[in-house]
Amino acid sequence: MNTSDILVVGAGIFGTTAALELRRRGYAVTLIDPGPLPHPLAASTDISKVVRMEYGQDRQYMRMVDKAIDGFVAWNEELGETLYHNTGVLMLTQEPMEQVPYNWDSFRLLQAEGHAPERLDSAAIAQRFPAWNAQRYVGGFYSPRGGYAESGRIVSALQSLARREGVLLHEGQTADELLGTTGQVTGVRTREGTTFHADHVLVAAGAWTQLLLPELQPVMKATGHPVFHLKPNNPTLFTPPNFAVFTADVSRTGWYGFPFNPREGVVKVALHDPGNILHPEQGERVVYADEIAQLRGFLAETFPALADAELVYTRRCLYCDTLDEHFWIDRHPRRAGLSVSTGGSGHGFKFAPVLGGLAADVVEGKANPWLAKFAWRTLDAGTHGEEASRFHGDK
Ligand SMILES: Cc1cc2nc3c(=O)[nH]c(=O)nc-3n(C[C@H](O)[C@H](O)[C@H](O)COP(=O)(O)OP(=O)(O)OC[C@H]3O[C@@H](n4cnc5c(N)ncnc54)[C@H](O)[C@@H]3O)c2cc1C
């Protein structure tokens, strides 16, 4: 009989960090996922994710990432490998920064919070970061606190740690149906025919969550976003200190990326924009020719040395996109014994070291000032995305 105190459905970063934290709080925890792990289609499974404190005027997100960065540094120790790289973050604009609210607000809030972002003009950009077209990118700042996390490797290392600490991790199990009554959830039955019982079920199934909990379909959707890996002819130009994690006027273009990744031998570039709505299981996860043409256009006007670089890999990855782009971490309002931790909306991984604590506080019913933002809420067609760095399309 698969019985535990807490059953966590989904072993991406939201589920894995929750399972580990709940285990450390003394619960018997089971974690299930179709696998193999880390799941190749999971959003968390990637070579790198941006870790940035810059969220416009949003002080809570900035403070959460500030705390998360300390957590990533501690994981580098605990996991015995440097999987978080503090390259700093380059936030550049195509106009003087005062005219770009996302960058200007982030810059001033960083200063107000006691951080030391370094303002840059065209000459400084050309001198310090020679890969950039400093005729086009004329303003912005460099923030020395931030960088990238090797997300897939972190998930894998945390899962090994969770197993060692007694989390029962079942791969090859796909939750299909919640068990119990309408008012009380007591477990799940899987597509593979197994039944798992628990006092509390936490659903953290990323973009697939709405399939298991259809009542969430009106407030979240799965959206697909292209990712590109390029092989630079001159890796040094794209290696710190010549280069850093970057956003290229992201709130108005969507473009962002990473320095040369020595392990993978590539420079990764991606698009943080509206994306296209996809079914998590049936949707076409391909990158289209017009998106590659868009990429080439961006590279030619931004990184001349990368304009003709070989494109060695592309991927369409799914966001679990809430309508307001804030996470969804709360107990179910009508079903006891059920909670949800999801809604990463394309920006959740950087919070990994604090996500487990948030989900565990929800399961335990503990107060946490950061949870109000992620509570079960009413959203409708009139709701706008609020994530400050996101390009919401030409308005
Ligand atoms: C292209 C792209 C770029 C991104 N870049 C960044 C970035 O730079 N910085 C950042 O902070 N964030 C970024 N994100 C967001 C971040 O990756 C996500 O917010 C985060 O990884 C979501 O984690 P998750 O655990 O909710 O979902 P996932 O990682 O998708 O994991 C969900 C898991 O649930 C499992 N599952 C699904 N259905 C079931 C079921 N029925 N039963 C059991 N298990 C199930 C799946 O197999 C999967 O393993 C990006 C996302 C994408 C797609």
Side-chain angles (χ1 to χ4, degrees):
M1 281 284 283
N2 295 304
T3 299
S4 50
D5 299 331
I6 300 165
L7 173 67
V8 180
V9 174
I13 197 64
F14 278 64
T16 298
T17 52
L20 183 59
E21 176 63 20
L22 287 158
R23 178 70 193 134
R24 288 181 168 174
R25 294 187 186 190
Y27 296 96
V29 178
T30 297
L31 174 60
I32 64 171
D33 195 290
L37 290 176
H39 195 289
L41 296 181
S44 304
T45 309
D46 206 333
I47 64 170
S48 55
K49 300 286 182 184
V50 170
V51 177
R52 59 171 162 92
M53 292 191 292
E54 293 75 20
Y55 271 90
Q57 296 177 3
D58 197 314
R59 199 181 294 272
Q60 177 177 328
Y61 277 143
M62 183 177 283
R63 290 184 175 171
M64 285 175 68
V65 180
D66 194 18
K67 186 169 178 206
I69 290 173
D70 292 340
F72 278 118
V73 172
W75 277 349
N76 280 351
E77 281 296 306
E78 185 179 9
L79 302 175
E81 198 182 355
T82 301
L83 297 176
Y84 165 68
H85 305 271
N86 197 83
T87 67
V89 184
L90 205 46
M91 296 269 166
L92 298 188
T93 56
Q94 296 176 81
E95 288 178 61
M97 189 166 55
E98 290 83 350
Q99 290 158 32
V100 187
Y102 166 60
N103 294 69
W104 183 234
D105 294 341
S106 297
F107 180 75
R108 290 189 308 168
L109 190 57
L110 281 169
Q111 291 180 316
E113 292 279 296
H115 298 287
E118 301 155 32
R119 186 156 189 183
L120 301 168
D121 61 12
S122 198
I125 293 166
Q127 194 263 325
R128 283 180 63 180
F129 305 105
W132 286 81
N133 172 1
Q135 303 309 309
R136 190 176 185 95
Y137 289 86
V138 295
F141 60 92
Y142 172 73
S143 181
R145 187 168 167 77
Y148 72 91
E150 297 187 55
S151 59
R153 288 175 184 275
I154 287 176
V155 171
S156 191
L158 290 174
Q159 285 166 353
S160 306
L161 184 60
R163 272 199 177 99
R164 287 199 300 278
E165 297 195 8
V167 170
L168 300 179
L169 184 40
H170 293 264
E171 284 183 53
Q173 295 292 337
T174 313
D176 191 40
E177 185 196 346
L178 296 173
L179 301 176
T181 63
T182 327
Q184 175 72 52
V185 170
T186 58
V188 305
R189 184 171 295 113
T190 68
R191 267 183 220 160
E192 296 76 14
T194 311
T195 299
F196 292 89
H197 296 281
D199 300 335
H200 203 102
V201 174
L202 175 72
V203 176
W208 294 266
T209 301
Q210 48 162 315
L211 301 182
L212 212 48
L213 298 172
E215 62 267 47
L216 288 173
Q217 282 170 7
V219 295
M220 55 181 70
K221 52 190 186 300
T223 56
H225 301 263
V227 171
F228 309 93
H229 291 183
L230 297 141
K231 213 173 177 53
N233 302 321
N234 175 1
T236 314
L237 204 53
F238 297 93
T239 299
N242 302 325
F243 205 74
V245 165
F246 72 85
T247 64
D249 212 343
V250 66
S251 65
R252 304 190 305 171
T253 70
W255 291 111
Y256 70 96
F258 302 81
F260 179 70
N261 184 314
R263 210 196 286 270
E264 311 291 336
V266 298
V267 169
K268 172 184 161 185
V269 175
L271 207 42
H272 189 42
D273 68 350
N276 62 322
I277 296 178
L278 279 179
H279 185 284
E281 290 180 342
Q282 291 138 21
E284 233 193 357
R285 293 180 179 236
V286 294
V287 172
Y288 301 104
D290 65 328
E291 291 172 315
I292 294 171
Q294 216 189 327
L295 169 77
R296 291 292 177 197
F298 164 71
L299 296 174
E301 67 190 20
T302 306
F303 305 120
L306 213 51
D308 306 321
E310 186 190 352
L311 182 59
V312 292
Y313 172 81
T314 60
R315 176 192 188 199
R316 183 163 228 92
C317 167
L318 298 192
Y319 292 4
C320 177
D321 238 342
T322 60
L323 298 186
D324 59 7
E325 298 165 355
H326 297 305
F327 312 145
W328 202 279
I329 309 177
D330 201 358
R331 288 184 166 207
H332 195 289
R334 291 175 297 284
R335 308 191 73 180
L338 176 63
S339 295
V340 173
S341 184
T342 194
S345 303
H347 67 111
F349 196 94
K350 66 178 72 63
F351 299 92
V354 300
L355 288 174
L358 292 173
D361 285 348
V362 159
V363 170
E364 292 192 309
K366 269 201 184 126
N368 181 319
W370 283 344
L371 282 170
K373 197 183 191 72
F374 313 125
W376 207 283
R377 54 200 183 274
T378 305
L379 305 175
D380 57 34
T383 304
H384 291 294
E386 298 176 357
E387 204 272 282
S389 78
R390 181 109 171 235
F391 174 52
H392 291 102
D394 296 323
K395 292 186 184 144

